[in-house]
Amino acid sequence: MLNESSRLLLQQQFMERFSGRTIIVHRGFPEQFLRELLEQAGGSGHFRVDVRIPESAPPTPIEWVVHRFVLPLSLPLPLLIRVDADALYLRHLMHDNTAGHPSEILWMLDAIRERYHARLDRQQGYYAVSMGMAVQDNDINYGFNND
């Protein structure tokens, strides 16, 4: 069990490293997904965390956030996280039972502060959870109409 000063330090280190960035949490990618992700504009700039790798003891800052706050939400993986100074915005990448195309990530990021499955508000040494849209809702507004 981590004490308060350890949690504060982990949170500070996490924010120093990841604020303003995106993280993809996964349990391995579907075939071709990683290759297609890396071919997308900015696709190699997303940090990727494979949760099949157990949390170390003591945990790294990203392990602490992912294993203690993100995974308990039981959202489908892969999962996109936008890290802002005051909150983490989470949105899964699934459509029905398959991961969407990596090109959808930039569209999701454009609207993630309004359309998220969960928001983790930064508190002193922990994150308070606010649920957003339903897990089944993962529609993307592409900003154009095909009528």
Side-chain angles (χ1 to χ4, degrees):
M1 182 60 77
L2 298 170
N3 63 33
E4 183 178 358
S5 63
S6 295
R7 291 188 308 268
L8 288 169
L9 180 60
L10 285 167
Q11 188 176 52
Q12 176 188 348
Q13 291 172 333
F14 175 80
M15 294 308 299
E16 286 173 357
R17 179 70 174 110
F18 297 101
S19 187
R21 298 177 187 258
T22 57
I23 302 168
I24 298 175
V25 178
H26 64 92
R27 279 191 182 95
F29 288 115
E31 192 172 325
Q32 299 298 318
F33 187 92
L34 183 58
R35 174 180 285 160
E36 292 175 15
L37 174 67
L38 297 176
E39 290 175 357
Q40 297 299 312
S44 62
H46 307 296
F47 289 91
R48 297 175 300 279
V49 177
D50 188 340
V51 296
R52 296 175 299 182
I53 301 169
E55 180 180 17
S56 56
T60 65
I62 196 167
E63 290 172 343
W64 176 72
V65 168
V66 169
H67 287 272
R68 308 286 169 97
F69 300 100
V70 174
L71 292 181
L73 299 174
S74 298
L75 293 170
L77 298 179
L79 178 72
L80 182 64
I81 303 173
R82 168 68 190 180
V83 181
D84 284 354
D86 58 344
L88 311 180
Y89 296 89
L90 287 64
R91 185 164 174 179
H92 69 76
L93 302 176
M94 299 298 290
H95 296 296
D96 298 318
N97 292 325
T98 60
H101 192 273
S103 63
E104 296 175 329
I105 291 173
L106 292 179
W107 293 101
M108 288 180 170
L109 285 172
D110 282 346
I112 201 163
R113 289 178 187 90
E114 295 82 34
R115 291 189 44 80
Y116 54 83
H117 295 297
R119 185 182 74 227
L120 304 180
D121 293 309
R122 185 177 176 194
Q123 306 294 317
Q124 287 287 91
Y126 73 98
Y127 290 90
V129 178
S130 299
M131 297 309 290
M133 63 187 185
V135 172
Q136 300 80 9
D137 179 7
N138 211 22
D139 291 340
I140 300 170
N141 180 357
Y142 294 106
F144 54 84
N145 192 346
N146 287 334
D147 292 342

